[in-house]
Amino acid sequence: MSLHNPHIDWQTFTDGLWKENPVFVMLLGMCPVLAVTNSAINALAMGLATTFVLLASGLLVSLLRHQIPKQVRIATYILIIATFVTIVDYLIQAISLELYNALGAFIQLIVVNCMILGRAEAYASKHRVAKSLLNALGMGLGFTFALLCLGVVREVLGAGSLFGVDLFGSQFEPWVVMVLPPGGFIVLGGWLLLFEWLRERRAAAQLEKEAARAR
Amino acid sequence: MPAESLSFIFLNAALANNFVLALFLGLCPFLGVSGKLDTAVPMGIATSFVMLVSSISAFGINWILTSLEIEFLRLISYIVVIASAVQLVEMVLKKFSPALFHSLGIFLPLITTNCAILGLALFQTFKEYDFLQSLAYALGAGAGFTLAIVLMAGLRERLALANLPTPAQGAAMSLMLGGLLSLVFMGFAGLGGQ
C-alpha cells in the first residue's frame, strides 16, 4: 500500500484543501454551503458530517471497486452514500437535538451533495483504499474550511457574535441581511471575488518575474 | 395534517419560500444551466416534471413505510425513486427532442442529485401534507424553480454584454446576482408562513 511508499502522495490530500477546493474552485455542493452557514457552529457541524460521509463512502466504494458492475455504479454509489447519511442523521439527533433542529433537512440532503458522488465516481472508484481515504479527508477538510469561511463572516456581521460569543457589545447594529438567504449568496460571491483577484495578482507577478529573467 | 389551503401552499412554495432563492435548494443547475434562456426554460420544465413524479411517489412510499414501521429506509427509497424518474425523463427527451437532450448535457442526469427534488420529498413528509396538498406543493416548487432559473438566465444574458473587471467575470458575479434576486424575493416574505 502507498503507506510503505516514501513518496506518499500528499498532493492528493492537499489538493482538496486549496488547489481543488470543492467549494471555492469547483463550485460543488453549493446548497449546504449557502443554507447552513448562517452561524459558525452550524457550518462546522455540517462540514464534519459531510467529511464523515465522504470518508466512509470513499472507503466502501474503494473496497468494492472491482465488484460493482459498471452499468449500475451510480445507483450503487448513491445507495452507499444514503446509508451513511442515514447513520449521520441518527447520530446527530442522538448527540445534540438543538443542532439537529438547526440543520433541519440539510443533514439528509447530504445525500445529494454532488461533491460526494463526484469523489466516488472520479476518485474512489479508481484508486486504492489508502489513497481514496486521503483524498476524501482532504476534500472534506477543504469543504469544512470553506463552510467556516462563510459561517464566520456571516455570523460576525449578521449577529455580532462568533460561535455564539458576543463580540461587539450592545451598541452593535447587526446586518440582519447577512444571516438571511441573500447574505449567503453575497458573502460567497465576495470570497470568490477575493480569491480570483489574488490568483490574478500572483499570475501577473509570475509573468513579470519571467520577463525580468528573460531580459 | 396542517389545514393550509391549496393556493396558499402553492404560492408559498413558488414565491415566499422559493426553493432556490430562499431555501438554497437546487443551486447547481441554477448556476450551471442559467447561461442561456434557451436551455433554462426546458431545464425548469424537466425539473418540475421530475418534482411532480417524485412527489406523488414519495407520498405513496411514505404511506407504505409508515404502515410497516420502517421509516429509517425513507431516504434510501426516495433517492431510488427520484433516480428512476430522472431516467424516465431522460429517455423521453432523447426520443422526442435529441437536440434539447444534447444541449442540457450532463445536467440532465444530474437532476438526480438536485437537492430541490429530494428536499421537496422530505419537506412534504415533515409537514405531513395530504395527497392534494403534496401535489400543490410540488407544482408550486416546480413553478418557483422555473421562475428563478428563467429570471437568472435573463439577467446573465444581459451580464454577458457588460464590461466587467476580469476577476469578477464568472461565478462570483453570478452569485452576486443571485444574492440580489434573493433580496428581491424576500419582498414576498410577508405573503407566506414558514
Side-chain angles (χ1 to χ4, degrees):
Chain A
M1 281 219 164
S2 59
L3 280 177
H4 303 301
N5 188 342
H7 305 288
I8 181 169
D9 242 338
W10 282 112
Q11 211 184 344
T12 49
F13 176 68
T14 50
D15 268 1
L17 285 182
W18 182 249
K19 221 174 77 205
E20 286 179 24
N21 187 293
V23 176
F24 290 136
V25 180
M26 300 204 288
L27 292 180
L28 288 177
M30 289 280 111
C31 309
V33 172
L34 295 178
V36 300
T37 52
N38 46 14
S39 77
I41 187 80
N42 286 357
L44 187 64
M46 189 65 186
L48 292 181
T50 311
T51 308
F52 170 75
V53 176
L54 255 177
L55 275 173
S57 62
L59 175 72
L60 206 59
V61 167
S62 180
L63 277 176
L64 294 175
R65 69 186 186 282
H66 298 303
Q67 273 77 44
I68 299 173
K70 265 225 145 44
Q71 296 83 358
V72 293
R73 64 183 193 286
I74 300 285
T76 318
Y77 299 158
I78 288 203
L79 282 184
I80 291 175
I81 295 169
T83 311
F84 287 113
V85 170
T86 310
I87 295 175
V88 169
D89 187 57
Y90 281 94
L91 258 183
I92 295 186
Q93 205 170 354
I95 295 170
S96 162
L97 204 56
E98 195 187 345
L99 198 61
Y100 182 77
N101 289 331
L103 293 177
F106 280 95
I107 303 172
Q108 304 202 4
L109 285 176
I110 296 178
V111 178
V112 283
N113 189 327
C114 12
M115 178 187 71
I116 300 180
L117 188 64
R119 277 302 99 191
E121 163 78 4
Y123 206 93
S125 62
K126 300 195 178 85
H127 291 85
R128 277 177 307 186
V129 175
K131 256 183 148 181
S132 306
L133 280 181
L134 213 56
N135 182 265
L137 190 65
M139 283 286 162
L141 291 182
F143 186 73
T144 312
F145 165 72
L147 282 175
L148 268 180
C149 280
L150 262 91
V152 166
V153 172
R154 286 179 73 184
E155 195 182 342
V156 167
L157 292 179
S161 60
L162 188 58
F163 287 106
V165 181
D166 207 9
L167 288 182
F168 302 116
S170 56
Q171 73 276 31
F172 178 74
E173 185 64 45
W175 303 12
V176 179
V177 72
M178 279 301 163
V179 289
L180 293 176
F185 282 108
I186 292 172
V187 172
L188 182 59
W191 277 113
L192 286 180
L193 215 56
L194 179 71
F195 289 140
E196 197 57 43
W197 181 67
L198 286 177
R199 197 171 305 146
E200 219 159 78
R201 258 179 37 141
R202 203 184 311 150
Q206 191 84 30
L207 272 183
E208 224 163 77
K209 215 189 277 170
E210 272 167 25
R213 209 181 297 149
R215 242 185 271 134
Chain B
M1 178 184 317
E4 296 166 22
S5 75
L6 296 183
S7 55
F8 174 80
I9 292 177
F10 179 83
L11 282 179
N12 194 14
L15 298 176
N17 275 319
N18 186 291
F19 263 56
V20 179
L21 297 168
L23 300 180
F24 296 121
L25 297 169
L27 283 174
C28 301
F30 178 67
L31 294 172
V33 198
S34 62
K36 276 192 304 206
L37 270 176
D38 302 354
T39 46
V41 177
M43 186 65 189
I45 296 172
T47 309
S48 307
F49 177 74
V50 178
M51 276 180 173
L52 198 62
V53 173
S54 24
S55 163
I56 296 172
S57 335
F59 186 80
I61 289 176
N62 191 41
W63 184 78
I64 297 174
L65 290 184
T66 353
S67 49
L68 293 178
E69 295 184 351
I70 42 173
E71 284 101 337
F72 59 88
L73 285 179
R74 188 185 285 144
L75 195 58
I76 296 180
S77 343
Y78 280 6
I79 197 82
V80 170
V81 164
I82 292 171
S84 329
V86 170
Q87 195 73 48
L88 186 74
V89 171
E90 210 180 326
M91 282 176 346
V92 169
L93 262 186
K94 200 172 180 179
K95 180 114 173 60
F96 292 107
S97 171
L100 191 58
F101 178 76
H102 286 294
S103 68
L104 288 177
I106 181 70
F107 283 99
L108 197 58
L110 277 186
I111 297 182
T112 311
T113 47
N114 182 335
C115 26
I117 295 169
L118 185 62
L120 173 86
L122 289 175
F123 285 146
Q124 82 175 30
T125 313
F126 291 151
K127 293 184 176 181
E128 296 178 347
Y129 283 155
D130 65 16
F131 185 68
L132 281 180
Q133 283 173 323
S134 303
L135 269 190
Y137 196 51
L139 286 174
F145 181 82
T146 313
L147 182 67
I149 198 170
V150 167
L151 280 177
M152 188 68 177
L155 283 173
R156 279 181 64 180
E157 282 195 350
R158 283 298 183 86
L159 189 69
L161 303 174
N163 189 11
L164 289 172
T166 34
Q169 284 168 359
M173 216 14 98
S174 310
L175 280 166
M176 292 282 182
L177 268 185
L180 292 182
L181 258 185
S182 162
L183 207 56
V184 172
F185 267 70
M186 276 184 62
F188 292 117
L191 271 178
Q194 35 94 27

